[in-house]
Amino acid sequence: MDNNTALIILQYNNYEDTINCIDSVLKYNTAPIKIIIVDNGSKRGNVVDQTDFLLRKKFGNDYTKLSDTSVSEGGLNKVSFVVSLYNSGYADGNNKGLKFAYTDSTINKVMILNNDVLFVEDIIPILSKNIENTLDCAIVSPILYTRDMEKIDYNCARKHSTIWEEIYYNFFNVICYDRVYKHLSKNRFLLKNADDRQLMPIELPSGSCMLINKDYFERIGSFDSHTFLYWEENILYEKIKKTGKRNYINKRCKCIHLGAQSTNSSQSNWFTFMCTVKSSIYYMKNYYDCNLFEYGLFRISLYVNILLTKVKMFIKKRL
């Protein structure tokens, strides 16, 4: 029967979170599922071996280890572990798992699930009904909470940012981050606004946990693998918008996102910062409908942001 949901779980250098994530799913889930774990080129020497050992011990004959270069020939086992020799980023890493899900005729939905997400209730049946019963629903997500379940990770329901908001952010965030962030977040984080709907329309879901119809996802081209990290949800939003569908969040469904950042956190290390920069350039150039003046000013604002960030990091090292 074609009713399995494939859970695509991407890991890098961390098998502990992966096993905890799977255990939480098994504890609460009642829907028929197939789990596809993708190791995205982990460099920690024991990650792949430990993941393989623990999955084989837990699932036995229901488990298969694969290479990302393996030819996908149809039906998957209950649990598949796809090993890649290199880290190709979030988008392409998930695509490595999706490749196997697409050829399995028993799978009709896909859940993209970060390995640092924990289930706390049975959400897949509810989210599946949302997709089946809501004609214009492309992606549906649960509310994500921080580790203690006391705070919402507001990134799970956002409006997309305009190019002028990004220009403003790039010019001023290093100098007065808190003020800029507060100003931009007034309307961006949708769960901060009064809305009584259980199934609420949003623009950007969190890539940490989201459910989508398998055939539809394949039809729109899955994730765009040109980005290594960040802006994947923005690109998905633009793809989905062109098909006349929209994204939703079900406020009745909850998960814990261990990696959720507090709303006043600043930029992290240089690598992730530059990933954000490169992905934003790719998005604005290839997906966002802007004119040459807007795009040129956006690029200038990025250079200013990069320069000021370098100065800020240099000063921090000296102090």
Side-chain angles (χ1 to χ4, degrees):
M1 187 175 181
D2 301 348
N3 63 353
N4 283 291
T5 296
L7 274 58
I8 311 294
I9 302 175
L10 189 65
Q11 74 169 22
Y12 178 72
N13 284 346
N14 184 346
Y15 68 87
E16 297 91 345
D17 278 353
T18 301
I19 299 302
N20 289 335
C21 173
I22 293 171
D23 284 344
S24 75
V25 172
L26 296 178
K27 180 178 179 180
Y28 290 101
N29 176 64
T30 62
I33 60 172
K34 291 190 175 182
I35 301 173
I36 304 172
I37 303 103
V38 179
D39 186 88
N40 208 15
S42 290
K43 300 304 181 185
R44 273 178 62 195
N46 67 336
V47 168
V48 171
D49 290 341
Q50 279 295 109
T51 307
D52 179 42
F53 171 77
L54 293 169
L55 292 175
R56 194 174 301 277
K57 181 179 178 181
K58 185 181 292 288
F59 296 103
N61 292 332
D62 289 329
Y63 165 74
T64 305
K65 182 181 178 183
L66 302 164
S67 165
D68 67 322
T69 59
S70 299
V71 177
S72 183
E73 297 179 343
L76 295 170
N77 222 330
K78 181 175 181 180
V79 178
S80 302
F81 181 36
V82 180
V83 179
S84 177
L85 296 179
Y86 65 99
N87 183 1
S88 56
Y90 171 89
D92 192 62
N94 278 297
N95 285 346
K96 292 171 185 175
L98 287 165
K99 177 185 78 170
F100 293 95
Y102 289 151
T103 62
D104 188 330
S105 62
T106 72
I107 293 170
N108 67 349
K109 296 183 185 69
V110 171
M111 174 171 275
I112 304 299
L113 189 64
N114 274 20
N115 71 338
D116 63 349
V117 168
L118 298 175
F119 276 29
V120 295
E121 58 187 24
D122 189 17
I123 64 170
I124 294 178
I126 299 171
L127 299 179
S128 293
K129 286 183 179 179
N130 292 151
I131 286 183
E132 293 164 1
N133 299 333
T134 311
L135 292 179
D136 68 344
C137 179
I139 291 173
V140 61
S141 304
I143 293 182
L144 298 180
Y145 285 82
T146 55
R147 183 186 299 266
D148 54 12
M149 287 292 292
E150 292 182 359
K151 295 181 180 178
I152 293 175
D153 174 13
Y154 288 104
N155 285 300
C156 66
R158 294 166 288 156
K159 292 181 65 177
H160 82 294
S161 56
T162 68
I163 194 168
W164 286 102
E165 288 174 327
E166 291 301 316
I167 290 169
Y168 169 68
Y169 176 84
N170 288 330
F171 273 129
F172 299 109
N173 85 90
V174 175
I175 301 170
C176 48
Y177 176 83
D178 290 339
R179 182 175 296 180
V180 169
Y181 188 88
K182 184 177 180 180
H183 174 71
L184 291 178
S185 65
K186 282 181 180 178
N187 298 312
R188 184 177 297 178
F189 297 114
L190 299 175
L191 291 176
K192 290 187 175 183
N193 302 327
D195 193 313
D196 295 330
R197 290 173 290 183
Q198 178 182 307
L199 189 65
M200 186 176 81
I202 61 174
E203 293 182 351
L204 306 185
S206 170
S208 302
C209 183
M210 57 187 189
L211 187 72
I212 188 168
N213 178 276
K214 183 191 79 170
D215 292 337
Y216 175 77
F217 205 10
E218 185 177 20
R219 194 162 63 247
I220 65 172
S222 308
F223 290 104
D224 189 323
S225 59
H226 288 89
T227 61
F228 188 88
L229 196 61
Y230 301 124
W231 289 81
E232 299 89 359
E233 297 98 336
N234 301 73
I235 292 173
L236 275 181
Y237 166 71
E238 296 295 342
K239 287 183 174 185
I240 288 166
K241 186 169 63 172
K242 288 179 180 178
T243 69
K245 289 182 176 287
R246 62 201 308 194
N247 301 323
Y248 289 87
I249 190 166
N250 189 319
K251 293 187 287 186
R252 175 183 166 188
C253 298
K254 306 178 183 67
C255 278
I256 290 175
H257 184 204
L258 298 175
Q261 300 295 311
S262 62
T263 55
N264 60 358
S265 63
S266 58
Q267 297 173 49
S268 55
N269 63 49
W270 183 253
F271 173 75
T272 57
F273 170 66
M274 287 307 299
C275 282
T276 304
V277 169
K278 293 174 183 177
S279 295
S280 67
I281 292 172
Y282 180 78
Y283 167 75
M284 292 298 179
K285 184 177 181 180
N286 294 279
Y287 287 95
Y288 192 86
D289 185 19
C290 59
N291 58 46
L292 287 176
F293 172 75
E294 290 172 328
Y295 181 70
L297 188 59
F298 169 73
R299 291 296 297 263
I300 291 171
S301 72
L302 274 178
Y303 296 140
V304 171
N305 192 4
I306 292 169
L307 176 61
L308 292 178
T309 300
K310 279 185 176 180
V311 171
K312 183 178 180 179
M313 294 176 73
F314 175 79
I315 291 173
K316 279 188 173 181
K317 285 183 180 180
R318 291 288 180 172
L319 293 178

